Amino acid sequence: DGGAGPAVPAAPGRAQVFSTVVDTFLEKLVAAGSYQKFASCYHCFYKLQPQLTRSIYDQFVSQLQSSIKEEIQEIKSEGNLEGLFDSLDKIVEEAKDREEPAWRPSGIPEQDVQSALVPYLLKHRSYLRQVLREKEEENRKVAESVLAGRNKIVELQQLIQAHRQAWQ
Amino acid sequence: MSVDPMAYEAQFFGFTPQTCMLRIYLAFQDYLFEVMQVVEGVILKKLDKMPGCKISPSQVRKCTEQFLLFMKDRFDKLFGKMEEMLLQLVLSIPKNVLLPEDKVHEQFPYSPEQFQALQEEIRQLQLQCRAEAAAEQALRAELEEQKVVKAELEKILQWFDDLEKIFREQGIGSLQESLAFLTQSSKKLQVVLKEVEQKSEKLKLRDKLM
């Protein structure tokens, strides 16, 4: 291992903790169901066949362990638990600097969905503002032309009037 | 004692943690019973093969029950601890954590009132846009009218100009001048005519006297 680097041992991820907790459970269960306990319950048989009792017990332990381990494996793969655990670890790590409680669904979907709509509404609003601005500017120019046109017409009318009078 | 429904965790995992733990509990329990059944079966078979054995099946059954009861008790206690640890450490979402899919609630924490205000603002903008469009239509309509009117007025002016051009080309100068000239000319003509009349009268008289 060449790099010295800031190698801080990371806290065990959820997947690791999950496995460890289950393994510990199994260990303790098997320890509780010890051979002594087994033999003392099946005392009459143990007296008759001690070696057989031992062998049956060993099979009992191994069978129980493999069934349980298999079940855990199935549950993990079915729900993609390891993947979920890893993502959750990442998400939690990213939030580690924030202290305040985060948002949680209010239980009223209509209300919660409003926030999802907000970005679109904001875009829509800024689009409308821009369109309005452009239209107002355009209309201002057209209004100027209209006023100029009116003045021009008055001018022409006055010219015609002047000509008419000259012909009187 | 209130039960935490862990709905947010369910949103993330696709199942509630409690359901997951229950499923595990039932499965493990089943295996325990199953294995014990097998154990009992094996013992009974072995006893069968042993002649003169004084152990009855019901005795074996009692042994099994004894062991099983003990195991179940331990199992429940150990499972309880395991469940607590898993729910706390692995299957829960800390209070300060927001799932990525909910980011929008952090970015845009709009209360229902703020949301309504935003919608209202947009409604107003839409109305204003419509008003501007209507104004544009009216303005452009007037521009079209003005075009027509201007064209008519310019035609009239052109007519006046053409008329005056004709008069100028004919060397008559301005209309007023021409009219004045005409009037003068006709007056002069009248004078000349009178003179010519008088002269011819004189001539006629002289002829008569000769």
Side-chain angles (χ1 to χ4, degrees):
Chain A
D1 187 13
V8 178
R14 280 172 161 75
Q16 181 65 51
V17 172
F18 184 82
S19 298
T20 307
V21 169
V22 172
D23 287 345
T24 307
F25 163 81
L26 199 49
E27 246 173 65
K28 295 214 169 112
L29 188 63
V30 166
S34 63
Y35 178 56
Q36 286 95 318
K37 190 67 193 177
F38 186 81
S40 91
C41 287
Y42 287 101
H43 190 65
C44 36
F45 187 78
Y46 169 71
K47 276 218 299 232
L48 275 179
Q49 300 270 10
Q51 272 173 319
L52 197 51
T53 307
R54 178 78 220 192
S55 125
I56 291 177
Y57 170 77
D58 286 341
Q59 276 200 342
F60 155 75
V61 167
S62 112
Q63 193 61 42
L64 186 64
Q65 279 177 328
S66 66
S67 300
I68 284 181
K69 286 199 173 131
E70 219 178 273
E71 178 68 21
I72 285 295
Q73 207 39 56
E74 208 180 285
I75 289 178
K76 281 208 289 208
S77 63
E78 226 183 73
N80 183 28
L81 278 188
E82 305 230 294
L84 288 176
F85 288 155
D86 288 343
S87 325
L88 188 53
D89 284 337
K90 271 202 206 95
I91 293 170
V92 169
E93 175 65 21
E94 278 165 14
K96 71 171 178 235
D97 290 328
R98 89 168 299 160
E99 282 176 13
E100 327 85 55
W103 176 88
R104 286 291 182 263
S106 66
I108 308 170
E110 298 89 356
Q111 203 172 61
D112 290 346
V113 89
Q114 283 179 351
S115 279
L117 290 176
V118 165
Y120 297 104
L121 289 186
L122 289 177
K123 256 199 223 145
H124 191 36
R125 181 181 72 174
S126 80
Y127 166 76
L128 285 177
R129 280 179 176 165
Q130 189 187 347
V131 166
L132 185 62
R133 237 195 325 260
E134 288 172 1
K135 258 288 169 271
E136 283 175 341
E137 180 58 28
E138 216 179 283
N139 283 356
R140 198 184 54 75
K141 292 203 188 105
V142 177
E144 271 178 21
S145 305
V146 167
L147 282 178
R150 288 184 189 170
N151 289 341
K152 181 78 180 155
I153 286 178
V154 167
E155 229 181 79
L156 290 173
Q157 286 174 326
Q158 286 174 340
L159 271 178
I160 290 175
Q161 192 59 16
H163 279 276
R164 243 199 232 122
Q165 286 184 335
W167 280 76
Q168 298 297 36
Chain B
M1 185 171 61
S2 73
V3 178
D4 178 6
M6 298 185 92
Y8 205 48
E9 282 78 7
Q11 181 181 323
F12 176 77
F13 285 108
F15 52 78
T16 60
Q18 298 95 326
T19 307
C20 180
M21 293 314 298
L22 183 62
R23 171 178 165 180
I24 296 176
Y25 176 81
L26 293 175
F28 284 11
Q29 193 180 245
D30 280 349
Y31 289 132
L32 181 61
F33 288 179
E34 219 176 84
V35 172
M36 283 315 297
Q37 238 181 341
V38 170
V39 163
E40 189 183 71
V42 166
I43 291 178
L44 284 175
K45 241 198 289 201
K46 297 290 185 205
L47 282 177
D48 257 353
K49 293 211 192 105
M50 293 189 320
C53 163
K54 292 203 197 88
I55 305 173
S56 67
S58 66
Q59 266 181 286
V60 174
R61 172 45 63 94
K62 279 221 185 67
C63 298
T64 309
E65 280 173 3
Q66 192 185 2
F67 187 67
L68 197 52
L69 202 64
F70 169 77
M71 285 302 283
K72 180 85 167 51
D73 176 72
R74 286 301 156 94
F75 173 87
D76 283 343
K77 288 205 176 72
L78 287 170
F79 194 89
K81 285 214 192 88
M82 174 169 85
E83 181 173 10
E84 202 182 301
M85 288 195 81
L86 289 182
L87 285 181
Q88 212 173 43
L89 298 174
V90 167
L91 291 171
S92 71
I93 299 178
K95 288 271 167 283
N96 67 326
V97 169
L98 183 69
L99 295 178
E101 68 230 38
D102 291 329
K103 221 201 295 232
V104 82
H105 292 102
E106 191 178 65
Q107 291 173 320
F108 304 107
Y110 272 59
S111 69
E113 296 78 27
Q114 287 173 305
F115 186 77
Q116 268 192 332
L118 181 58
Q119 282 183 313
E120 185 55 35
E121 216 184 313
I122 287 175
R123 248 193 298 270
Q124 286 302 320
L125 283 170
Q126 283 172 328
L127 285 177
Q128 283 178 291
C129 281
R130 242 174 269 163
E132 284 299 315
E136 185 194 8
Q137 266 195 335
L139 286 171
R140 293 203 186 272
E142 182 169 336
L143 269 184
E144 285 305 309
E145 272 181 31
Q146 282 182 353
K147 252 196 248 170
V148 172
V149 169
K150 246 189 0 188
E152 284 302 314
L153 293 178
E154 277 167 354
K155 246 190 353 200
I156 295 175
L157 269 180
Q158 188 63 40
W159 182 79
F160 272 115
D161 281 342
D162 288 342
L163 202 57
E164 284 160 15
K165 202 163 78 167
I166 292 175
F167 271 90
R168 262 199 304 280
E169 276 169 5
Q170 300 299 323
I172 301 178
S174 80
L175 190 59
Q176 302 95 308
E177 282 178 22
S178 343
L179 282 180
F181 179 73
L182 265 178
T183 326
Q184 262 194 346
S185 311
S186 70
K187 282 211 185 105
K188 275 203 195 130
L189 265 176
Q190 283 184 335
V191 166
V192 167
L193 264 176
K194 253 232 155 74
E195 283 180 10
V196 167
E197 253 184 43
Q198 287 176 343
K199 280 224 176 99
S200 75
E201 287 296 328
K202 274 201 191 134
L203 275 175
K204 269 199 222 156
L205 267 176
R206 241 185 47 197
D207 275 344
K208 264 200 186 160
L209 288 177
M210 300 275 292

